[in-house]
Structure formats: structure tokens, C-alpha cells
Amino acid sequence: MSPKGVRLPLLRPRLRQRAGGTRPRKKTLNRLLEDRTIEQLSYDQYRQRVRHVYDGPQGAILALCSFLSLHTPLGERLLRTRRFDLRGCKRILDVGCGAGQILGHLLKYADPDAQIFCFDISPAMVRRARRRIRNPRPQFLVADLTRLPFATETFDCITCGYVLEHLPDARLGLQELARVMTPGAKMLLLTTEDNFGGAWTSRVWHCRTYNRQELQQMCHELGLEWVQELWYTRIHKLLRAGGICVELRKKD
Ligand SMILES: C[S@@+](CC[C@H](N)C(=O)[O-])C[C@H]1O[C@@H](n2cnc3c(N)ncnc32)[C@H](O)[C@@H]1O
């Protein structure tokens, strides 16, 4: 049983075996479609590449893409309806803020006295977010998710939207996020899943995808309990679209 008495979805034995041992096999089409850049470069080289992509024209149209794909309005709904509840959170970190898509929602729905921090690896994205948001409240930083410039146990809430797929191994980012979370802190994690839609996303944004069960197992090993799986809409749930969207909680 998880905190608050929420029953956690149990891994089926076959998946449990896969998560701990051999990697789950992706469907052939998805495997062919998926971008391979992240596997072919060292993390340092890939990080430079990500920065370059988001500093450039693709980063300049990121806010528009998020709006057209409905991620921005549907993400807002998760917070407005309190399916991910920000009430009571006093130090919030938005990871890989991009053009400030999630940050804008945090400013609307977080407690008025909550401190909000956000960072991105791309200096140009940080500038764009600052310009778009036009609000003196958040503190903006340029930083890498795998090396956070924050003390241990600083934040009681984290939002991390579509950033983890830019790491060769989710563990690099998740353990750093777990470090800066206070015991009992919550996280809204969104990331690209290893299905057809995810393979396309990976191709456009040169990122990887994650297997849901593997990611769940990894979170569990890092002390991040999988509290609830969220879906933007019933149609997303039915079609398994929109990627992995989950509320995590750091164990007390
Ligand atoms: C697809 S955008 C997501 C933007 C926003 N979080 C959202 O949910 O719409 C991914 C962002 O993550 C940033 N990013 C990628 N790798 C990162 C890393 N290692 N550390 C910090 N930011 C990173 C990129 O620069 C980009 O702005």
C-alpha cells in the first residue's frame, strides 16, 4: 500500500521479470522509427546537441507546438482540476521549463506564497520563458537536470514535463530529483512512452522513449512511489496517447 492508502498498480510477473532483467522488446515499427542519436553519442556530446536544438529554431516554436498538440491546455487542466494538487506546496521546481508552458500553470494554481524555481539546460529557452511569462515571481536558472545546483531536500513539489527523455538513462535525472525532494514531496512527471506516438516524438525532438513498467520499477528503486497514473482525457487513456503522466511521491 502506498502513502495515503492508495493502492499501487502491481507489476505483472512477466513485466517484473523484464524490469529487473532483459529489456522489453519494442514493436519493430516503433524501433525503426525511433531516433537513435542518444545511443550514438556520449552524454556530454548529446547534451551539447540538446542545447543546440532548443537554442535554435525548434526551441523558438516550442510554445506553439505545445499549444497545437494541446499539451499546454490539457496540462493546465490537470492542475486546475487538482488531479495534481498544488495546494500546500511551498517550494516548487519546474524542471526543463522550456518556454514556460508548465510554469505559467504553476503561477496560476500554486499557493500565492509558494516559491517557484525553474531551470533549463538551454539559455535561449530560459530567456524565452522569462519573456513569455513576464512575471517577477519565479527564479530562473540555466542548469542540467543531472547536476542540480540545489541543496538536498529543498523542494516539496516538482514538475518535470518531457525532459527525462533527453537523458540516456532516466536514473541520472530521477536520482538527482529524489535528492532535492523533501520526504513526502510530490512530483508530476511527464515523459515520452515507447509506442508509435512516442517514436514520432523521438524522431522530431531527437530524444528517447521509456517503457512504462521499466520506469515504474526504476522509480520504486529510487524511493519514488508511483501514486497515480494520469491521463489528459479519457480518449488519451483509451488510445494510450499523450505519453507517461504520473504523480510520484518521495517516501518519508
Ligand atoms: C520538450 S521541452 C519541455 C518543456 C516543458 N517542460 C513542457 O512540459 O512543455 C524539453 C525541455 O527540456 C530541456 N532539457 C533537455 N535536457 C535537459 C537537461 N538535461 N537539463 C535541463 N533541461 C533539459 C530542453 O532544453 C527543453 O527546453
Side-chain angles (χ1 to χ4, degrees), residues 43 46-47 50-51 53-55 59 62 66 71-72 94-103 119-123 125-126 142-148 159-167 190 201 205 232:
Y43 179 49
Y46 179 72
R47 189 173 24 210
V50 168
R51 196 175 288 148
V53 167
Y54 282 96
D55 276 349
L62 179 63
S66 301
H71 282 148
T72 302
D94 184 38
V95 176
C97 61
Q101 298 97 308
I102 295 182
L103 179 61
F119 73 90
D120 199 284
I121 202 169
S122 150
M125 279 325 306
V126 171
V142 174
D144 177 0
L145 165 57
T146 65
R147 299 175 202 164
L148 294 181
T159 52
C160 181
Y162 307 109
V163 187
L164 213 59
E165 48 274 73
H166 293 295
L167 300 181
L190 300 109
T201 304
W205 295 100
Y232 286 132

Side-chain angles (χ1 to χ4, degrees), residues 77-233:
R77 206 162 70 148
L78 289 178
L79 301 183
R80 192 182 61 237
T81 57
R82 315 250 185 241
R83 287 166 66 209
F84 183 77
D85 196 349
L86 294 169
R87 283 174 297 184
C89 299
K90 295 301 171 211
R91 280 174 83 89
I92 306 177
L93 176 66
D94 184 38
V95 176
C97 61
Q101 298 97 308
I102 295 182
L103 179 61
H105 311 328
L106 294 177
L107 288 165
K108 265 190 181 170
Y109 301 110
D111 291 351
D113 60 341
Q115 287 182 286
I116 302 179
F117 297 76
C118 65
F119 73 90
D120 199 284
I121 202 169
S122 150
M125 279 325 306
V126 171
R127 278 197 300 276
R128 287 175 189 127
R130 209 192 283 267
R131 232 180 7 240
R132 231 182 117 246
I133 294 295
R134 283 203 218 146
N135 187 314
R137 195 170 151 203
Q139 295 195 32
F140 291 91
L141 279 93
V142 174
D144 177 0
L145 165 57
T146 65
R147 299 175 202 164
L148 294 181
F150 302 111
T152 299
E153 298 187 3
T154 300
F155 298 99
D156 56 7
C157 179
I158 289 185
T159 52
C160 181
Y162 307 109
V163 187
L164 213 59
E165 48 274 73
H166 293 295
L167 300 181
D169 179 353
R171 205 175 291 268
L172 290 173
L174 287 173
Q175 65 195 11
E176 191 58 350
L177 292 178
R179 180 184 71 76
V180 299
M181 289 167 84
T182 55
K186 55 169 68 174
M187 183 188 335
L188 177 64
L189 176 68
L190 300 109
T191 192
T192 306
E193 190 163 14
D194 60 350
N195 54 22
F196 185 70
W200 272 113
T201 304
S202 131
R203 190 142 277 272
V204 175
W205 295 100
H206 312 291
C207 60
R208 59 162 294 171
T209 64
Y210 287 105
N211 175 268
R212 191 176 283 259
Q213 284 78 25
E214 272 194 330
L215 193 64
Q216 181 177 7
Q217 180 66 26
M218 191 183 290
C219 289
H220 180 72
E221 285 164 15
L222 294 169
L224 296 170
E225 291 301 348
W226 199 270
V227 175
Q228 59 166 335
E229 289 192 353
L230 296 159
W231 297 91
Y232 286 132
T233 63

Side-chain angles (χ1 to χ4, degrees), residues 28-54:
T28 312
L29 180 59
N30 299 348
R31 224 177 31 237
L32 288 174
L33 263 181
E34 209 173 298
D35 191 83
R36 296 267 158 256
T37 314
I38 203 163
E39 290 168 15
Q40 290 160 353
L41 303 177
S42 71
Y43 179 49
D44 272 351
Q45 291 168 325
Y46 179 72
R47 189 173 24 210
Q48 294 300 332
R49 175 82 192 261
V50 168
R51 196 175 288 148
H52 181 72
V53 167
Y54 282 96

